[in-house]
Amino acid sequence: IGAGAVAATTARAAGDPLITEPQYWAQGLGEGVDATPYGLPIEYESDVVRRNVDWLTADTISSINFTPIHALDGTITPQGCAFERHHSGAIELTKEDYRLMINGLVDTPLVFTYGDLERFPRENHVYFCECAANTGMEWAGAQLNGAQFTHGMIHNMEYTGVPLRTLLEEAGYQTTGKWVYVEGADASGNGRSIPMDKALDDVLVAFKANGEALRMEHGYPVRLVVPGWEGNMWVKWLRRIEVADAPVESREETSKYTDTLANGISRKWTWEMDAKSVVTSPSPQSPITHGPGPLVITGLAWSGRGAIKRVDVSKDGGKTWETARLAKPGERMALSRFYLDTEWDGTEMLLQSRAMDETGYVQPTKAQLREVRGLNSIYHNNCIQTWWVKPDGEAENVEVS
Amino acid sequence: IGAGAVAATTARAAGDPLITEPQYWAQGLGEGVDATPYGLPIEYESDVVRRNVDWLTADTISSINFTPIHALDGTITPQGCAFERHHSGAIELTKEDYRLMINGLVDTPLVFTYGDLERFPRENHVYFCECAANTGMEWAGAQLNGAQFTHGMIHNMEYTGVPLRTLLEEAGYQTTGKWVYVEGADASGNGRSIPMDKALDDVLVAFKANGEALRMEHGYPVRLVVPGWEGNMWVKWLRRIEVADAPVESREETSKYTDTLANGISRKWTWEMDAKSVVTSPSPQSPITHGPGPLVITGLAWSGRGAIKRVDVSKDGGKTWETARLAKPGERMALSRFYLDTEWDGTEMLLQSRAMDETGYVQPTKAQLREVRGLNSIYHNNCIQTWWVKPDGEAENVEVS
Amino acid sequence: LTFVSPLQAGKLGLGRPALPDEVAAWDLDVRPDGTGLPDGSGDVLTGEEIFADNCAVCHGDFAEGVDNWPKLAGGMGTLDRDDPLKTVGSYWPYLSTTWDYVNRSMPFGNAQSLTPDEVYGVVAYILYSNDLVDEDFVLSRDTFTEVHLPNADGFIVDDRKSAEAHFVTDPCMQNCKDKVEITMRARVLDVTPDTGD
Amino acid sequence: LTFVSPLQAGKLGLGRPALPDEVAAWDLDVRPDGTGLPDGSGDVLTGEEIFADNCAVCHGDFAEGVDNWPKLAGGMGTLDRDDPLKTVGSYWPYLSTTWDYVNRSMPFGNAQSLTPDEVYGVVAYILYSNDLVDEDFVLSRDTFTEVHLPNADGFIVDDRKSAEAHFVTDPCMQNCKDKVEITMRARVLDVTPDTGD
Ligand code: HEC
Ligand code: HEC
Ligand SMILES: [Ca+2]
Ligand SMILES: [Ca+2]
Ligand SMILES: [Ca+2]
Ligand SMILES: [Ca+2]
Ligand SMILES: [Ca+2]
Ligand SMILES: [Ca+2]
Ligand SMILES: [Co+2]
Ligand SMILES: [Co+2]
């Protein structure tokens, strides 16, 4: 806490010196317009960064980091702090060296350069991208202490790209083609099989995010956008699309991204991300720093099956619920921001949020999820999260009965 | 042009080596997830930056730079390359040192800390911010050669903030208060008078843009957002709001930001930004790099009076027009992206775009504007812009009869 | 001192009352009728000296401007010509604006370093440089209202809604002109900075 | 060679036809029925050597894993227990996946450096490490279809729509439970990295 904050609360009759005394920033000169051709956040925001958890993976090359959602507001995620997941590291691939092949059950197998892609009609859409393993640590119980770590494998951007359908039509996809297999140019060869219905529906071959080129770590120059479906399918550095009559059953859709139930049987092809929400503030990394009185409780909600319709918030661990305010009507496969403008009495809270999407699906409790899926699913944990907010405003990740 | 691009067009029967030979990025390892806690664009995009024009101002501290709109797509402007305008440089002001005062015709003059602001109910809105001097050089004729320079004093972000109305109500504004005077904490003391109707309507006291904290150069920690109105009113480092019965007639609303007509009389209080559009690609900095055939013409349109309803594009300097496709229905006081998916015959074009907003206002030609306003208005130049695209794909800023 | 919470119906009770000294420190703006002017005074010759020491390096000894830095004097009668020169004398409607701006924002790089007397003097000198007062003029709250700037009546309130009502129209789509010719080229002018591509 | 433009009705004629060698270079995926497997073969003992040289540093001499790096063998019978161990032997439904993944993505840091024969051998060795083949087993396109992995029938297609149909509901708003108790705390576990605030 700076001297100013102390002065503000103990201001003498003479007034707060930050007001009564001229400050250097109100007299001298700041930075010129040539100082930062491409700017970064101010130094005081240096804690609002992606973070990884060392012990989660064997190394940082095949690993993840987390979006600092506890410190963000609104719905757009800046590319600079949007989570990363690589299986072989983030690669540097120039537009000049970029090639995209379409082969398989098509009339003419084609090769596109990057420049070719920019000549097809483009679309713009805001979509969330959530890793299927987001909140995965919570299967075993409350573990990591912060919304960034429990729910930060998500971001939400405005994409510009060409519908996959357009490219498939250009190559002349054949009616025997029931699947497309999509694959990246990095050494992980990350490949996933997508049913043709989805491929022809809303999948984008994207080259811009939030107005500018994709960042290296998000697949520059071209990535796939698969609205509402698990992030692993959003293949980065996209290099090949094969139209096929059956799925490949690649490593990323058998060994990984399959969900083992309590009886040892595993679900496969669990593509859609279930409706989910989390309170981002207050939360362990965003404690209440003021006393009792007005408090804004806020968080994010999303669903891979369509638009968010409603979010409820509980302060007592799920005994009673209040419906929060959505900043805007929910949009399909995009993050919704919710607010509960409330009065805090200074006593402890067990904060929860519960999302409902346009299909009527209601985000389940941990107990409800475990009842169906057991503890070993790893992926698709969309449970209701609980933050225990204490009288001093600090919050902790807990599990409740 | 990389070796790859050449190989692609001259590919031998053996195939493009970028495909037939394994590349290092497809074998080795890329960057890990701890490499960039806060990321920047990839090095190959290093030309997509803000730029200033040295000779425009006496120094870079009281000056402007321009958003690289020629290289962006979609509608969101990343903070890192969103134009800057300062009158005394971009200042570093911590949240701890931040104070906001409301005084004047209010029941209780108040002082807020940054933390106080976060306790009021928040809203989220996407709005464009355009400097009134954007395109100002064009009054005298085609000058700067690039959309970045002619139209780049604009950005479009998702803001999170508290309605100014809420703060005015908190202080108990009095009915004798017909204006609010808003002022920044930097040494320029940039202050503007805003009529109470607007202040109570949609003005925001914002602290986040595109999800994260405002950047230093955009007013960290708090700026005013005045939807649809000239950027100079969007006071940065906002420190004071005075409710008054009359405008201050400050330097920024008398000496500057007034528009001198041909007869020497000047318009004042020209707050709203007129409907406007520009083709961002092709354009001088974004030439056509492919030959004849499919071509995407794209650009931005906006209006300070509401939503964009329609954008027309002409290829022949305004003889004939085609209606472009809007990527989404226009939203009030936000940028719209338009596309014309067309076929280029390889001959020269005189490209223009023409916006229409929900009030029925149609973006005028340069001649139409000059007829009313003369050549000396400096501000509010919303003329139709012409790019002369030549057979080699290069484009130039020109003026046509 | 204890702060009284301003909580009332419909209010959240956030923030704290601003203290009189705090309001005084920040509420510095001066209005056309002189509201906001502090006590004090300054004459042209004292002002000239202060100007020479603090302002002339950018604005010139006679407020005529140096290089690209703003000119504060001259330009009378240029507003309806090509490239009007807009200065305190030729363009500004209210003297309050000069006083307020100099007081709060100048000198550039060391704003708010002048005393009220010094500001009165400097503003008197700017008036003098514009031939608007004699060299024995003393500016104070009292003499302030005697000064009327030449272009005070040179402003109208935004009339775009009426003067540009014809921009609300059903635009032409076909055969809108007979021929189109290029009348001006940016490349010929060649003032664009090189962007390295 | 001249490229024929694929322009047809409704097509833009962009891109160029992919050449056979190009498709061959990138179309490497192998399907459960063996489609995509190249010529070649490899036996367990040769595979063991290649594995020792290229894989064991991370995956262990017996494919049992080193530290946090993936274990490729073992775990049979653990899928319905706490912390199942999922390996090629215990979990993977199709042998094609192993062949394909090793061929395209391993060794980590030097992918696509093995010849088809070497991949056949390494995969044979992984099968052997999982007690799924004898030490004289030779893997080739022919023997490929003889191998059935134990958990081949361990998968069902996503049944959330039916199995979790009860999540579509009208949720409780008041008196939803009698009491609430904290049953687990992250701070007690204390595995969160310090974030410096
Ligand atoms: C330098 C370490 C390293 C070396 C050497 C290495 N691997 Fe791996 N292996 C990994 C990592 C890391 C992964 C997980 C990659 C991921 O998921 O992103 C992996 C994954 C695998 C998997 C999939 C495991 C699963 O459960 O999904 C197989 C099979 C495999 N490796 C086989 C091999 C073979 C065969 C070799 C040698 C030819 C080899 N590896 C060499 C690090 C290594
Ligand atoms: C180091 C250079 C510098 C010095 C010294 C300086 N100024 Fe300025 N002055 C500027 C600049 C730059 C501006 C324009 C600021 C802007 O618009 O952002 C300006 C603007 C002004 C203006 C408004 C001009 C207009 O047309 O709007 C006045 C009046 C003025 N200065 C008076 C003064 C006085 C009086 C002093 C000394 C007490 C002074 N200046 C010292 C650089 C300087
Ligand atoms: Ca610093
Ligand atoms: Ca590099
Ligand atoms: Ca005042
Ligand atoms: Ca030049
Ligand atoms: Ca294939
Ligand atoms: Ca710890
Ligand atoms: Co899944
Ligand atoms: Co204006």
Side-chain angles (χ1 to χ4, degrees):
Chain A
I1 298 180
V6 174
T9 46
T10 62
R12 298 141 296 155
D16 182 348
L18 280 163
I19 298 176
T20 55
E21 285 163 27
Q23 304 295 322
Y24 65 88
W25 58 80
Q27 300 201 274
L29 301 177
E31 294 280 6
V33 294
D34 53 354
T36 50
Y38 199 102
L40 279 170
I42 197 166
E43 56 194 308
Y44 315 128
E45 296 291 311
S46 57
D47 59 322
V48 184
V49 290
R50 301 187 277 232
R51 289 178 196 279
N52 63 315
V53 175
D54 273 343
W55 53 264
L56 268 183
T57 51
D59 74 340
T60 58
I61 305 282
S62 169
S63 193
I64 49 160
N65 60 29
F66 302 91
T67 307
I69 54 170
H70 63 287
L72 304 181
D73 208 318
T75 63
I76 292 290
T77 316
Q79 291 205 73
C81 63
F83 86 98
E84 302 168 62
R85 171 72 169 117
H86 319 299
H87 289 267
S88 202
I91 62 167
E92 280 188 335
L93 177 55
T94 65
K95 287 178 177 169
E96 289 79 12
D97 286 348
Y98 179 79
R99 297 291 179 272
L100 175 61
M101 181 186 288
I102 303 195
N103 72 310
L105 301 173
V106 293
D107 295 341
T108 318
L110 292 176
V111 172
F112 299 110
T113 62
Y114 177 82
D116 291 334
L117 295 181
E118 287 199 337
R119 300 177 69 182
F120 286 98
R122 291 169 215 163
E123 294 187 3
N124 295 170
H125 297 277
V126 175
Y127 292 127
F128 76 82
C129 172
E130 184 184 16
C131 177
N134 198 22
T135 324
M137 300 296 297
E138 291 290 310
W139 282 113
Q143 291 205 39
L144 291 163
N145 204 27
Q148 177 169 24
F149 301 109
T150 57
H151 289 75
M153 286 161 74
I154 190 161
H155 56 60
N156 193 63
M157 302 190 195
E158 183 195 44
Y159 292 96
T160 302
V162 177
L164 177 54
R165 173 184 209 117
T166 306
L167 300 183
L168 291 171
E169 285 171 349
E170 186 71 22
Y173 67 93
Q174 296 166 359
T175 51
T176 45
K178 302 296 180 210
W179 295 78
V180 296
Y181 178 69
V182 287
E183 167 188 300
D186 64 317
S188 84
N190 179 22
R192 291 293 303 255
S193 307
I194 300 178
M196 187 57 97
D197 280 354
K198 179 73 175 178
L200 295 178
D201 179 11
D202 55 6
V203 177
L204 284 183
V205 174
F207 32 82
K208 302 251 161 145
N210 295 344
E212 67 184 347
L214 288 164
R215 296 288 170 85
M216 170 175 85
E217 56 268 34
H218 301 128
Y220 180 93
V222 178
R223 88 172 301 168
L224 205 67
V225 167
V226 191
W229 288 22
E230 55 194 22
N232 184 259
M233 309 179 83
W234 295 46
V235 171
K236 300 193 282 194
W237 313 290
L238 180 71
R239 82 169 189 187
R240 194 170 70 92
I241 299 162
E242 178 173 347
V243 179
D245 58 350
V248 166
E249 301 282 4
S250 74
R251 183 254 190 180
E252 298 289 79
E253 54 203 19
T254 52
S255 167
K256 308 296 168 200
Y257 302 98
T258 48
D259 318 341
T260 302
L261 303 172
N263 62 1
I265 296 293
S266 304
R267 289 172 173 165
K268 68 174 184 177
W269 303 353
T270 50
W271 300 308
E272 283 166 342
M273 300 309 297
D274 297 303
K276 187 167 168 181
S277 69
V278 65
V279 170
T280 53
S281 179
S283 69
Q285 297 159 289
S286 181
I288 304 176
T289 53
H290 54 76
L295 168 70
V296 175
I297 298 173
T298 186
L300 295 167
W302 61 95
S303 167
R305 297 195 184 87
I308 287 294
K309 275 290 164 205
R310 192 176 109 189
V311 179
D312 302 320
V313 170
S314 174
K315 296 175 187 161
D316 54 15
K319 280 195 232 172
T320 59
W321 296 86
E322 294 169 75
T323 297
R325 170 171 67 87
L326 295 183
K328 294 185 198 168
E331 284 171 28
R332 289 179 61 75
M333 284 77 153
L335 289 192
S336 283
R337 168 67 56 181
F338 66 85
Y339 296 106
L340 187 74
D341 306 304
T342 190
E343 195 73 19
W344 183 41
D345 62 7
T347 63
E348 71 171 33
M349 295 186 282
L350 290 166
L351 271 188
Q352 300 184 327
S353 66
R354 182 176 69 188
M356 225 169 131
D357 71 18
E358 59 179 311
T359 70
Y361 180 102
V362 179
Q363 182 181 1
T365 62
K366 282 189 169 183
Q368 285 177 303
L369 264 190
R370 287 173 180 155
E371 205 172 20
V372 181
R373 305 193 194 165
L375 292 172
N376 296 326
S377 274
I378 301 177
Y379 306 104
H380 293 285
N381 190 331
N382 67 323
C383 67
I384 289 175
Q385 174 68 42
T386 310
W387 306 128
W388 178 25
V389 182
K390 293 160 217 180
D392 66 359
E394 296 287 328
E396 184 181 338
N397 177 8
V398 298
E399 220 166 288
V400 293
S401 58
Chain B
I1 297 180
V6 175
T9 47
T10 63
R12 297 140 299 158
D16 182 347
L18 280 163
I19 298 176
T20 55
E21 285 164 27
Q23 304 296 323
Y24 65 87
W25 57 80
Q27 300 201 276
L29 301 176
E31 294 281 7
V33 294
D34 53 354
T36 49
Y38 199 101
L40 280 170
I42 197 167
E43 55 193 308
Y44 315 127
E45 297 291 311
S46 58
D47 59 323
V48 185
V49 291
R50 301 186 277 230
R51 288 178 196 280
N52 63 313
V53 175
D54 273 345
W55 53 263
L56 267 184
T57 51
D59 74 341
T60 59
I61 305 284
S62 170
S63 192
I64 49 158
N65 61 28
F66 302 91
T67 308
I69 54 170
H70 64 288
L72 304 181
D73 209 318
T75 63
I76 292 290
T77 316
Q79 290 207 71
C81 62
F83 85 97
E84 302 168 61
R85 170 73 170 115
H86 319 299
H87 289 266
S88 202
I91 62 168
E92 281 188 335
L93 176 55
T94 65
K95 287 178 178 169
E96 289 78 12
D97 286 347
Y98 179 79
R99 298 289 180 275
L100 175 62
M101 180 187 289
I102 303 194
N103 72 310
L105 300 173
V106 294
D107 294 341
T108 317
L110 292 176
V111 172
F112 298 110
T113 62
Y114 178 82
D116 291 334
L117 296 181
E118 287 199 337
R119 301 177 71 181
F120 286 98
R122 290 167 218 166
E123 294 186 3
N124 296 170
H125 297 277
V126 176
Y127 292 126
F128 76 82
C129 173
E130 184 185 17
C131 178
N134 199 23
T135 323
M137 300 295 296
E138 291 290 310
W139 283 112
Q143 291 206 39
L144 291 163
N145 205 26
Q148 177 169 22
F149 301 110
T150 56
H151 288 75
M153 286 161 73
I154 190 160
H155 56 60
N156 194 61
M157 303 191 194
E158 183 195 44
Y159 292 96
T160 302
V162 176
L164 176 54
R165 175 184 207 115
T166 306
L167 300 184
L168 290 172
E169 284 171 350
E170 186 70 22
Y173 67 93
Q174 296 166 0
T175 49
T176 44
K178 301 298 179 209
W179 295 78
V180 297
Y181 178 69
V182 287
E183 166 188 301
D186 64 319
S188 84
N190 179 22
R192 290 293 302 254
S193 306
I194 300 178
M196 188 56 98
D197 279 355
K198 179 73 175 176
L200 295 178
D201 179 11
D202 55 7
V203 177
L204 283 183
V205 173
F207 32 84
K208 303 252 161 144
N210 295 344
E212 67 184 350
L214 288 164
R215 295 287 170 84
M216 171 175 85
E217 56 269 35
H218 301 129
Y220 180 92
V222 177
R223 87 172 303 168
L224 206 67
V225 167
V226 190
W229 289 22
E230 54 194 23
N232 183 261
M233 309 179 84
W234 296 45
V235 170
K236 300 192 281 193
W237 314 289
L238 180 71
R239 83 170 189 185
R240 193 169 71 91
I241 299 162
E242 177 173 348
V243 179
D245 57 351
V248 167
E249 301 282 3
S250 73
R251 183 253 189 180
E252 298 290 78
E253 54 202 19
T254 51
S255 167
K256 308 296 168 200
Y257 302 98
T258 48
D259 317 341
T260 302
L261 304 171
N263 62 3
I265 296 293
S266 303
R267 287 172 174 164
K268 67 175 186 177
W269 304 352
T270 52
W271 300 308
E272 282 167 344
M273 300 309 297
D274 297 304
K276 186 166 169 181
S277 70
V278 66
V279 170
T280 53
S281 177
S283 69
Q285 298 159 290
S286 180
I288 304 177
T289 53
H290 54 77
L295 169 70
V296 175
I297 298 173
T298 185
L300 295 167
W302 62 94
S303 168
R305 297 195 184 86
I308 287 295
K309 274 289 164 209
R310 191 176 109 190
V311 179
D312 302 321
V313 170
S314 174
K315 294 174 188 163
D316 53 15
K319 280 195 231 172
T320 59
W321 296 85
E322 295 170 75
T323 297
R325 169 171 68 85
L326 295 183
K328 294 184 198 168
E331 282 171 27
R332 288 179 60 74
M333 283 77 151
L335 289 193
S336 282
R337 168 66 57 182
F338 66 86
Y339 296 107
L340 186 74
D341 306 304
T342 192
E343 196 73 18
W344 183 42
D345 62 8
T347 64
E348 72 170 33
M349 296 185 282
L350 289 166
L351 270 188
Q352 300 184 328
S353 66
R354 183 176 67 187
M356 224 170 132
D357 71 18
E358 60 178 312
T359 70
Y361 179 102
V362 179
Q363 183 181 1
T365 62
K366 281 188 169 180
Q368 284 178 303
L369 263 190
R370 287 172 180 155
E371 206 173 19
V372 182
R373 305 192 196 166
L375 291 172
N376 295 325
S377 273
I378 301 176
Y379 306 104
H380 293 286
N381 191 330
N382 68 322
C383 67
I384 289 176
Q385 174 69 42
T386 311
W387 306 127
W388 177 26
V389 182
K390 294 157 217 182
D392 65 359
E394 297 286 328
E396 184 181 337
N397 177 9
V398 298
E399 220 166 288
V400 292
S401 58
Chain C
L1 176 115
T2 347
F3 291 123
V4 183
S5 163
L7 190 58
Q8 297 175 23
K11 299 188 180 177
L12 291 179
L14 293 170
R16 61 165 180 85
L19 302 177
D21 283 354
E22 292 172 330
V23 175
W26 277 5
D27 185 1
L28 299 176
D29 59 276
V30 177
R31 300 236 298 248
D33 62 3
T35 309
L37 280 174
D39 292 339
S41 68
D43 60 79
V44 169
L45 293 182
T46 318
E48 177 170 21
E49 261 178 62
I50 302 161
F51 196 89
D53 291 349
N54 295 281
C55 323
V57 59
C58 296
H59 296 296
D61 282 334
F62 309 102
E64 80 283 15
V66 173
D67 300 334
N68 240 344
W69 303 96
K71 303 176 198 339
L72 309 180
M76 261 64 138
T78 66
L79 296 181
D80 57 357
R81 310 219 191 119
D82 278 359
D83 300 320
L85 174 57
K86 301 177 177 180
T87 70
V88 172
S90 70
Y91 192 65
W92 295 32
Y94 309 110
L95 184 60
S96 59
T97 310
T98 318
W99 206 99
D100 184 34
Y101 186 69
V102 171
N103 182 51
R104 292 198 287 131
S105 312
M106 286 291 135
F108 192 66
N110 194 19
Q112 299 191 36
S113 58
L114 302 184
T115 65
D117 284 349
E118 290 172 324
V119 177
Y120 277 114
V122 155
V123 173
Y125 179 70
I126 295 173
L127 288 172
Y128 173 77
S129 307
N130 276 288
D131 296 327
L132 294 171
V133 297
D134 293 332
E135 71 175 23
D136 54 5
F137 180 71
V138 181
L139 185 63
S140 67
R141 194 195 277 120
D142 295 331
T143 58
F144 175 87
T145 42
E146 290 162 21
V147 183
H148 293 279
L149 296 184
N151 196 40
D153 297 327
F155 293 81
I156 54 170
V157 171
D158 184 4
D159 65 347
R160 284 177 292 174
K161 279 241 165 82
S162 52
E164 299 175 4
H166 57 295
F167 294 164
V168 176
T169 181
D170 188 14
C172 174
M173 295 298 285
Q174 296 297 328
N175 305 317
C176 304
K177 349 181 184 173
D178 285 341
K179 63 173 193 176
V180 169
E181 264 165 21
I182 291 171
T183 53
M184 192 166 183
R185 296 182 48 185
R187 281 228 176 115
V188 171
L189 200 66
D190 191 21
V191 291
T192 314
D194 293 322
T195 61
D197 40 27
Chain D
L1 175 115
T2 347
F3 291 123
V4 182
S5 164
L7 190 59
Q8 297 174 24
K11 298 186 181 177
L12 291 180
L14 293 169
R16 60 163 181 84
L19 301 176
D21 283 354
E22 292 172 331
V23 174
W26 277 7
D27 184 1
L28 299 176
D29 59 277
V30 178
R31 300 238 297 248
D33 62 3
T35 309
L37 280 174
D39 292 341
S41 68
D43 60 78
V44 168
L45 292 182
T46 317
E48 178 171 23
E49 261 179 62
I50 302 161
F51 195 90
D53 291 348
N54 295 281
C55 322
V57 58
C58 296
H59 296 295
D61 282 334
F62 309 103
E64 79 286 13
V66 174
D67 302 335
N68 239 345
W69 303 95
K71 302 177 199 338
L72 309 179
M76 262 64 140
T78 65
L79 296 182
D80 58 357
R81 310 220 193 119
D82 277 359
D83 299 320
L85 174 57
K86 301 176 177 181
T87 70
V88 172
S90 69
Y91 192 64
W92 295 32
Y94 309 110
L95 185 59
S96 58
T97 310
T98 316
W99 207 99
D100 183 35
Y101 186 70
V102 171
N103 182 50
R104 292 199 286 129
S105 313
M106 288 289 135
F108 192 67
N110 194 19
Q112 297 191 38
S113 59
L114 301 184
T115 65
D117 284 350
E118 289 173 323
V119 176
Y120 277 114
V122 155
V123 173
Y125 178 69
I126 295 174
L127 288 172
Y128 173 76
S129 306
N130 276 288
D131 295 327
L132 294 171
V133 296
D134 293 333
E135 72 175 20
D136 54 4
F137 179 72
V138 181
L139 185 63
S140 68
R141 193 194 277 121
D142 295 332
T143 58
F144 175 87
T145 43
E146 291 163 20
V147 183
H148 294 278
L149 296 185
N151 196 41
D153 298 327
F155 293 82
I156 54 169
V157 170
D158 185 4
D159 64 346
R160 283 177 293 175
K161 278 243 166 83
S162 51
E164 299 175 3
H166 56 294
F167 294 164
V168 176
T169 180
D170 188 17
C172 174
M173 295 298 286
Q174 295 296 330
N175 305 318
C176 304
K177 346 182 186 173
D178 284 341
K179 65 174 190 177
V180 170
E181 264 165 21
I182 291 169
T183 53
M184 192 165 182
R185 297 181 48 183
R187 284 231 172 112
V188 170
L189 199 65
D190 192 22
V191 291
T192 314
D194 293 323
T195 59
D197 41 26

